[in-house]
Amino acid sequence: MNTKAAGAQEYGIISRELKIDDLSFDAQVDLLKDLINKNSWDANIDSEKIIAASHEMIELRKEENSVAMELAKSKSRYTEMSQLFDSMDTYRNSLSIQIY
């Protein structure tokens, strides 16, 4: 229920000042029931909300790129370590063959 109310808030149908997380489940249901009676003219969409959403999207993309870079580095490091362990096993096996 919280997700639906947050979505309505994102679209400007519910005021951003309203703290949805603080509402009880029943209060959220009542809030969403009230939304059923509204029409598109009741939406409160303005340039500030669009700008805020754009800034949030930019920040999310930056974060996504950062996480993707970190993941690529970790994957590369994992591959290097796997190759090192494989080489160690091969070397250990060749030593054991020479001993016997």
Side-chain angles (χ1 to χ4, degrees):
M1 201 53 61
N2 192 6
T3 306
K4 298 290 186 187
Q9 197 171 40
E10 179 97 7
Y11 289 122
I13 300 170
I14 297 174
S15 170
R16 284 200 181 268
E17 287 78 34
L18 184 63
K19 302 292 182 201
I20 295 172
D21 293 333
D22 296 339
L23 296 176
S24 68
F25 180 80
D26 292 333
Q28 290 180 18
V29 169
D30 290 339
L31 182 64
L32 292 174
K33 283 181 182 177
D34 291 341
L35 291 180
I36 294 171
N37 297 324
K38 291 187 174 187
N39 61 33
S40 62
W41 297 107
D42 294 330
N44 187 12
I45 300 172
D46 60 16
S47 61
E48 289 179 14
K49 291 180 182 177
I50 294 171
I51 291 170
S54 296
H55 287 300
E56 183 178 2
M57 185 180 293
I58 290 168
E59 291 303 315
L60 287 172
R61 285 183 180 158
K62 286 180 184 177
E63 184 179 351
E64 179 184 19
N65 287 337
S66 174
V67 169
M69 290 295 289
E70 195 63 36
L71 179 62
K73 288 179 187 176
S74 295
K75 184 177 178 183
S76 175
R77 181 75 175 143
Y78 174 77
T79 302
E80 291 171 0
M81 294 303 292
S82 295
Q83 290 172 348
L84 177 63
F85 284 123
D86 290 343
S87 297
M88 286 173 36
D89 285 340
T90 303
Y91 182 71
R92 187 177 298 123
N93 289 336
S94 66
L95 283 178
S96 67
I97 292 172
Q98 289 178 3
I99 292 174
Y100 294 114

